[in-house]
């Protein structure tokens, strides 16, 4: 680990973009200026670090970005950063600019990269959880998750209108490659008939029984939420299976897709991003490194990145039970 005082911090966003990333960048840069540091924007995540797309930031660069979706620094998935040669190039570019610490805003993959980079080159790095997937331990919520849930629920409300008018069964696919957090929240928040998540297998037979019971109970519209990484397949695949068993249903499939990643961040995400941005800079100045800033029970906490990325954060059993009770 480099022991000299930090004077220049680089900030980047990586992986899938998430609403609130701009608010996090703004907070990091504002905090840096407050503590008289030079702040550098690294564009297009690790790819831009490798390609030397690095610019010194001024106050005007971060004006009016708090409320905007996406990330003005842009984001990327960098295959080259997964190689030793790529990471060496990235480190050489940081040194050219005299950058002596990093704030990485991204998901589990991005923080895995930051952890490796710290281990190899000793450059102090702090992670900020920025992903709609909510799949990082060490924080109750990741930046972007709340907005993505709001967007999904708003879209499902609209689907509900047409589903009810036509007595249809809809399978709605939400994002979450390996995580069912958006799905379970959207399921509870939109009165879904069932929610299928990657963490729990729901046999098709059980879903058939659930739908039959709802028909008996005179429910006229049915919305089944499917997380894209679901164990029984995506929404289209499950719809096909159900069609075979319940041919009397008029079935439609909607894949919400990338609209869940866009839009202005919710108030929750703005505040979360702002708190974590300032905390990350203060953490670096207090000598913290290789940790992720998060909020648990309304308190800022720093968790070793190696723990945050373990992939052991699970959908709460209570949430799953509540979703089930409310869908019968
Ligand atoms: N094992 C690794 N070693 C080095 N770099 C990695 C590693 N895993 C991920 N990265 C870097 O982080 C980038 C982003 O990772 P990934 O695509 O998994 O997204 P993420 O940060 O998890 O965000 P999200 O899941 O929200 O899209 C990768 O493209 C790669 O450059
Ligand atoms: O935009 P891309 O690269 O297709 O990635 C989609 C993936 O990114 C995420 O939206 C997370 O950012 C996942 O939920 C989804 O599986
Ligand atoms: Mg991820």
């Amino acid at each position: 680990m480099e022991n000299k005082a930090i004077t220049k911090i680089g900030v980047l966003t990586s992986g899938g973009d998430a609403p609130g990333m701009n608010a996090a960048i703004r907070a990091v840069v504002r905090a840096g200026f407050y503590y008289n540091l030079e702040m550098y924007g690294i564009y297009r995540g690790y790819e831009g670090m490798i390609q030397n797309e690095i610019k010194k930031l001024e106050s005007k660069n971060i004006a009016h970005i708090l409320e905007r979706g996406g990330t003005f620094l842009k984001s990327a998935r960098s295959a080259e950063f997964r190689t030793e040669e790529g990471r060496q190039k990235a480190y050489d570019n940081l040194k050219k600019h005299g950058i002596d610490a990093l704030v990485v805003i991204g998901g589990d993959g991005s923080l895995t990269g930051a952890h490796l980079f710290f281990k190899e080159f000793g450059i102090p790095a702090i992670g900020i959880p920025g992903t709609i997937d909510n799949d990082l331990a060490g924080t109750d919520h990741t930046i972007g998750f709340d907005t993505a849930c709001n967007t999904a629920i708003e879209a499902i409300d609209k689907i509900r209108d047409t589903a009810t008018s036509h007595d249809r069964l809809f399978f709605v696919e939400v994002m979450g490659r390996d995580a069912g957090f958006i799905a379970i929240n959207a399921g509870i928040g939109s009165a879904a008939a069932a929610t299928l998540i990657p963490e729990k297998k729901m046999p098709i037979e059980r879903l058939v029984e659930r739908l039959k019971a709802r028909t008996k109970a005179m429910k006229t519209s049915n919305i089944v939420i499917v997380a894209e990484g679901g164990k029984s397949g995506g929404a289209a695949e499950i719809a096909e299976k159900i069609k075979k068993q319940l041919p009397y249903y008029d079935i439609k499939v909607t894949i919400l897709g990338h609209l869940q990643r866009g839009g202005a961040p919710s108030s929750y995400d703005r505040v979360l991003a702002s708190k974590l941005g300032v905390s990350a800079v203060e953490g670096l100045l207090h000598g913290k490194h290789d940790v992720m800033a998060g909020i648990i029970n309304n308190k800022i906490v720093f968790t070793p990145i190696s723990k945050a990325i373990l992939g052991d954060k699970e959908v709460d059993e209570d949430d799953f039970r509540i979703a089930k009770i409310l869908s019968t």
Side-chain angles (χ1 to χ4, degrees):
M1 228 283 284
E2 297 170 7
N3 277 323
K4 64 186 177 54
I6 289 168
T7 56
K8 298 182 182 185
I9 297 180
V11 56
L12 64 90
T13 47
S14 164
D17 64 341
M21 278 185 164
N22 273 325
I25 300 167
R26 169 188 177 264
V28 167
V29 176
R30 281 246 166 280
F33 290 160
Y34 181 84
Y35 291 109
N36 298 314
L37 306 172
E38 281 184 31
M39 301 302 290
Y40 287 80
I42 301 166
Y43 289 74
R44 293 198 307 119
Y46 293 126
E47 196 56 28
M49 214 198 274
I50 293 169
Q51 304 299 334
N52 199 18
E53 295 169 37
I54 301 174
K55 286 186 196 144
K56 191 171 170 201
L57 295 173
E58 294 170 33
S59 208
K60 66 172 187 224
N61 297 118
I62 50 152
H64 307 298
I65 64 164
L66 170 108
E67 66 277 23
R68 279 168 43 200
T71 158
F72 95 94
L73 287 178
K74 298 187 181 286
S75 196
R77 300 191 199 274
S78 169
E80 202 178 347
F81 195 77
R82 292 176 184 270
T83 67
E84 273 180 37
E85 298 73 30
R87 293 194 293 275
Q88 181 66 54
K89 274 194 220 168
Y91 179 72
D92 293 344
N93 285 330
L94 292 186
K95 287 293 105 184
K96 272 184 213 155
H97 293 272
I99 294 172
D100 41 29
L102 277 181
V103 176
V104 173
I105 306 166
D108 57 334
S110 303
L111 297 200
T112 303
H115 176 59
L116 204 57
F117 198 60
F118 169 75
K119 279 208 300 192
E120 287 174 346
F121 299 101
I123 187 153
I126 285 201
I128 293 183
T131 169
I132 64 164
D133 288 349
N134 201 34
D135 57 353
L136 281 159
T139 191
D140 288 336
H141 299 114
T142 57
I143 297 165
F145 171 66
D146 181 66
T147 309
C149 288
N150 289 338
T151 302
I153 285 173
E154 201 182 317
I156 297 163
D157 283 350
K158 290 178 177 155
I159 292 169
R160 171 78 65 189
D161 290 344
T162 178
T164 309
S165 303
H166 289 268
D167 293 338
R168 278 174 169 162
L169 164 60
F170 268 82
F171 288 85
V172 180
E173 186 173 298
V174 298
M175 272 188 166
R177 204 173 3 214
D178 308 303
F181 294 99
I182 297 178
I184 204 82
N185 262 33
I188 292 172
S190 67
T195 304
L196 277 56
I197 59 172
E199 295 87 341
K200 285 227 188 286
K201 194 163 174 61
M202 182 192 263
I204 288 297
E205 299 69 42
R206 205 178 321 143
L207 180 56
V208 167
E209 286 317 309
R210 174 94 53 93
L211 291 168
K212 279 183 179 166
R214 286 175 62 93
T215 305
K216 251 194 192 153
M218 309 296 279
K219 309 258 187 198
T220 58
S221 68
N222 282 296
I223 291 180
V224 176
I225 311 288
V226 184
E228 63 176 332
K231 286 211 179 357
S232 319
E237 217 176 317
I238 293 167
E240 259 327 296
K241 290 180 191 161
I242 293 293
K243 205 170 231 160
K244 284 196 187 116
Q245 302 213 34
L246 302 173
Y248 51 86
Y249 268 119
D250 185 1
I251 296 178
K252 298 282 173 190
V253 174
T254 304
I255 295 171
L256 296 186
H258 287 80
L259 77 87
Q260 294 160 96
R261 285 232 300 254
S266 64
S267 99
Y268 184 90
D269 278 330
R270 291 178 197 204
V271 175
L272 176 66
S274 302
K275 288 182 180 180
L276 294 183
V278 172
S279 304
V281 171
E282 290 182 338
L284 282 172
L285 293 177
H286 287 128
K288 293 191 191 304
H289 50 264
D290 201 18
V291 293
M292 184 195 83
I295 294 188
I296 296 179
N297 291 335
N298 217 22
K299 283 272 166 286
I300 303 283
V301 286
F302 292 94
T303 303
I305 292 181
S306 56
K307 277 196 177 161
I309 59 176
L310 275 180
D312 58 357
K313 181 169 171 183
E314 299 207 332
V315 168
D316 200 293
E317 275 300 322
D318 283 340
D319 289 2
F320 195 70
R321 185 177 49 80
I322 287 163
K324 190 174 153 201
I325 289 171
L326 293 175
S327 63
T328 46

